[in-house]
């Protein structure tokens, strides 16, 4: 079979890659529907540290009725199993629709994650364009590997991972709608789009990145084209069209309809949406102290800094946006409905390796067409939409409290020496810090990848557990002496136990709820219970983003009175980003950051006493 298909697809790499992807997909097992009673028991366990005993007992009765033999839960479970037998993945499409496409909050801050990468060694526009050329070439090289099927299959603990998200990263875009959004993928098997979008001074350009024979432009060719774009965009455009994409999705959906009534606007918008990816060439920002630099740069990638900075250089609906500043800063902003952290990390690793290599390709002596500037016709309605979008974005940006820091006392190597998981160790530190600031624990979620299943996306890892709650309560209790052998003598097993999490119940619960809605039933009582509302009010959204470089990811909190904590453990240090909203008087990113540093230090002292 393999030899036969190699011959058949020898002349067409796109067909060959499709065949290879199909062969690989069949080796990744389908995602199973977990046992109903197991999920319900884990749900009750997750509620134990969050609810007082009488409320927990009330919820236990509701859960038991839902899961009893012949009850509603069993009937819904049966339908989910049927769905799993006849669908690509029984939950992923539902999840993307519910979690992303039906969400009406702005993509800026609330949804799109940003990754800020280590500063490059240039400080002016010349270095900016040289590096941007290398970056584009590296991305095209990665895309060629994806298109041809040469991208190696990834494995986790010996299991192959689903690779289906990679082709969807390119030439895709989220499209706004009045009630819900959808995603369009323009990458065709035979001939997809051949251009990227470049944005500078709020002006959008179509840059073709392939020669007429289908070969990608060389770095020097790309550089020459970026110089041409610079020469066409000296002045900042008065109307930053990209800011429209930062609006509330209902508002942007209505403005989108008005915008596309004009033929010129429709052509420009379609070219942005179809482009392979977007490159944002940002203007310099005000210099800032070294201590605050990482926070400022993360914010710049995340939202552009506001309407008087670089926010007009974004199209937040675009799946991939690479940002390169004149001061050497750079990073990536991605739209979450299509992209996930692990495939993005693979892409960035490839680009970083590519950027270390010298450019050995000579540019062919072929005249290139001038990059095409995209124009917009702005009537009074669109102008009003833009003014409102600018006001709302600046309000959102001013409301975001962001703190990035590098914890340098130790990293994952020391935690591994203690025979502990670095991720679990940091999770305990985050919970301890939250408890110290707020004198309570809260519903908290970390992200677990489900790529070991075909079409799998993510599920939540829940914390805290009862063991973690007991541990952090005892930690600062003067009545519990550290020298008390009965309590602390077994500290290793105690901390290991407190690191246990509730894994993989939220997608199953969501599936049961959506199955009931699809059947036209009332929402089951288990999901109308106040306990379920409390259990899904994520005051602490966390994310480990392990990378081979000193990158920092950041995103906004899931709820108004919550935090988002992201971390990247390196050998001897850990990068953190913490966000909160200023409108909430109870939360403070700076205070949580300082408390987290102290908590990490105290945990180290527990395991490595100085006395």
């Amino acid at each position: 079979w393999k030899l036969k298909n190699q011959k058949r697809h020898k002349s067409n790499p796109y067909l060959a890659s499709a065949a290879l992807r199909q062969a690989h997909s069949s080796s990744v097992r389908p995602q199973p529907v977990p046992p109903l009673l197991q999920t319900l028991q884990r749900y009750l366990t997750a509620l134990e540290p969050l609810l007082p005993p009488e409320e927990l007992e009330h919820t236990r009765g509701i859960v038991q009725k839902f899961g009893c033999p012949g009850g509603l839960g069993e009937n819904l479970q049966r339908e989910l199993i049927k769905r799993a037998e006849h669908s690509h993945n029984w939950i992923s499409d539902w999840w993307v629709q519910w979690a992303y496409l039906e969400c009406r909050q702005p993509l800026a801050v609330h949804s799109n994650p940003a990754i800020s990468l280590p500063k490059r060694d240039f400080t002016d526009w010349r270095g900016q364009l040289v590096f941007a050329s290398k970056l584009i070439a590296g991305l095209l090289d990665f895309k060629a590997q994806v298109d041809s099927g040469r991208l190696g299959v990834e494995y986790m603990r010996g299991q192959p991972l689903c690779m289906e998200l990679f082709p969807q990263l390119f030439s895709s875009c989220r499209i706004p709608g009045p009630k819900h959004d959808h995603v369009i993928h323009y990458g065709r098997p035979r001939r997809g789009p051949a251009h990227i979008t470049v944005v500078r001074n709020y002006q959008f350009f179509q840059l073709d990145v392939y020669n007429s024979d289908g070969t990608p432009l060389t770095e020097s060719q790309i550089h020459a084209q970026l110089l041409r774009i610079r020469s066409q965009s000296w002045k900042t455009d008065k109307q930053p069209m990209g800011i429209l994409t930062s609006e509330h999705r209902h508002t942007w959906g209505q403005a989108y309809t008005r915008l596309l009534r004009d033929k010129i606007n429709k052509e420009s918008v379609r070219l942005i949406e179809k482009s392979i990816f977007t490159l944002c060439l940002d203007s310099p920002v005000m210099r800032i102290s070294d201590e605050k630099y990482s926070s400022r740069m993360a914010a710049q990638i995340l939202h552009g800094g506001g309407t008087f900075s670089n926010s007009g250089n974004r199209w937040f609906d675009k799946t991939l946006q690479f940002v390169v500043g004149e001061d050497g800063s750079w990073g990536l902003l991605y739209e979450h409905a299509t992209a996930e952290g692990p495939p993005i990390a693979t892409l960035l690793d490839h680009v970083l390796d590519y950027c270390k290599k010298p450019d050995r390709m000579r540019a062919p002596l072929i005249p290139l067409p001038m990059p095409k500037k995209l124009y917009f016709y702005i009537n009074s309605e669109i102008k009003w939409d833009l003014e409102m979008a600018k006001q709302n974005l600046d309000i959102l940006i001013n409301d975001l409290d962001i703190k990035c820091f590098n914890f340098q006392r130790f990293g994952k190597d020391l935690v591994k020496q203690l025979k502990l998981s670095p991720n679990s160790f940091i999770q305990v530190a985050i919970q301890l810090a939250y408890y110290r600031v707020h004198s309570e624990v809260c519903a908290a979620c970390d992200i677990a990848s489900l790529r070991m299943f075909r079409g799998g996306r993510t599920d939540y890892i829940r914390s805290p557990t009862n063991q973690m709650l007991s541990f952090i309560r005892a930690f600062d209790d003067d009545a519990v002496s550290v020298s008390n052998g009965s309590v602390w003598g077994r500290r290793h097993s105690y901390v290991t136990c407190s690191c246990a999490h509730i894994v993989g119940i939220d997608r199953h619960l969501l599936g049961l709820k959506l199955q009931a809605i699809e059947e036209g039933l009332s929402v089951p009582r288990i999901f109308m219970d106040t306990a379920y509302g409390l259990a899904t009010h994520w005051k602490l959204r966390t994310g480990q983003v392990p990378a081979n470089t000193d990158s920092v990811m950041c995103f906004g909190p899931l709820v108004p009175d919550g935090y988002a904590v992201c971390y990247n453990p390196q050998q001897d240090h850990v990068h953190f980003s913490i966000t909160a909203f200023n409108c909430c008087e109870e939360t403070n990113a700076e205070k949580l950051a300082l408390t987290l540093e102290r908590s990490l230090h105290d945990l180290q002292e527990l395991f490595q006493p100085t006395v």
Side-chain angles (χ1 to χ4, degrees), residues 31-296:
Q31 185 168 331
V33 181
L36 177 64
L37 294 182
Q38 173 187 288
T39 292
L40 295 180
Q41 184 53 54
R42 287 180 174 178
Y43 172 57
L44 288 171
T45 303
L47 290 174
E48 287 175 359
L50 303 176
L51 291 178
E54 62 276 9
E55 288 186 33
L56 183 63
E57 201 55 39
H58 171 76
T59 297
R60 195 183 303 277
I62 294 173
V63 171
Q64 285 173 347
K65 186 177 179 181
F66 179 78
C68 69
L72 178 58
E74 201 171 81
N75 294 334
L76 295 174
Q77 175 79 355
R78 194 180 304 114
E79 293 305 312
L80 284 186
I81 291 170
K82 285 182 188 175
R83 178 182 171 89
E85 290 170 353
H86 298 97
S87 62
H88 183 64
N89 183 296
W90 68 272
I91 188 61
S92 285
D93 290 345
W94 260 353
W95 162 247
V96 170
Q97 188 70 27
W98 179 83
Y100 300 120
L101 302 180
E102 290 183 9
C103 181
R104 302 287 81 198
Q105 287 186 309
L107 297 188
V109 174
H110 289 290
S111 182
N112 290 5
I115 302 175
S116 178
L117 287 128
K119 193 174 180 181
R120 310 296 295 193
D121 59 352
F122 59 84
T123 54
D124 61 11
W125 66 266
R126 293 176 181 82
Q128 177 192 34
L129 297 192
V130 169
F131 174 68
S133 307
K134 191 93 176 175
L135 175 63
I136 292 169
L139 287 162
L140 295 178
D141 187 67
F142 183 80
K143 183 177 183 295
Q145 288 200 5
V146 173
D147 289 344
S148 64
R150 289 182 288 116
L151 183 66
V153 174
E154 296 178 326
Y155 289 83
M156 184 171 68
R157 299 188 187 95
Q159 280 191 329
L161 300 179
C162 181
M163 305 291 284
E164 290 179 5
L165 276 185
F166 284 99
Q168 298 178 48
L169 295 176
F170 300 102
S171 302
S172 60
C173 194
R174 182 159 161 173
I175 310 297
K179 293 184 179 179
H180 61 83
D181 297 353
H182 64 280
V183 175
I184 291 188
H185 302 283
Y186 289 99
R188 300 182 188 89
R190 290 180 181 274
R191 185 167 177 80
H195 70 281
I196 68 170
T197 306
V198 179
V199 203
R200 181 175 181 269
N201 282 340
Y202 309 167
Q203 297 176 58
F204 290 78
F205 294 85
Q206 174 191 354
L207 172 57
D208 291 332
V209 288
Y210 293 96
N211 291 298
S212 56
D213 61 358
T215 57
L217 299 190
T218 64
E219 285 175 44
S220 56
Q221 284 180 309
I222 295 168
H223 184 251
Q225 294 294 72
L226 292 181
L227 286 170
R228 285 171 141 186
I229 287 173
R230 178 177 168 81
S231 69
Q232 292 184 74
S233 57
W234 286 112
K235 291 184 179 180
T236 302
D237 201 307
K238 290 180 181 178
Q239 304 298 344
M241 295 302 296
I243 285 179
L244 282 176
T245 65
S246 71
E247 263 286 22
H248 183 279
R249 301 308 293 174
H250 176 71
T251 307
W252 168 218
Q254 293 178 323
Y256 183 85
T257 302
R258 288 191 286 271
L259 187 67
L260 264 61
R261 286 177 190 153
D262 180 84
K263 187 179 177 182
I264 294 172
N265 294 343
K266 188 173 184 177
E267 182 187 0
S268 295
V269 170
R270 288 287 182 264
L271 284 168
I272 293 169
E273 291 170 350
K274 289 180 179 181
S275 63
I276 300 167
F277 57 85
T278 296
L279 172 72
C280 312
L281 295 173
D282 276 8
S283 300
V285 295
M286 187 173 64
R287 293 193 177 184
I288 200 165
S289 66
D290 290 345
E291 182 191 352
K292 295 181 179 179
Y293 179 82
S294 61
S295 300
R296 162 70 72 82

Side-chain angles (χ1 to χ4, degrees), residues 429-456:
I430 293 170
Q431 286 288 338
L432 177 59
Y434 185 92
Y435 187 84
R436 283 172 163 177
V437 172
H438 295 284
S439 302
E440 65 173 11
V441 295
C442 66
C445 61
D446 193 11
I447 305 298
S449 174
L450 296 179
R451 286 179 63 211
M452 70 287 292
F453 305 120
R454 186 173 180 189

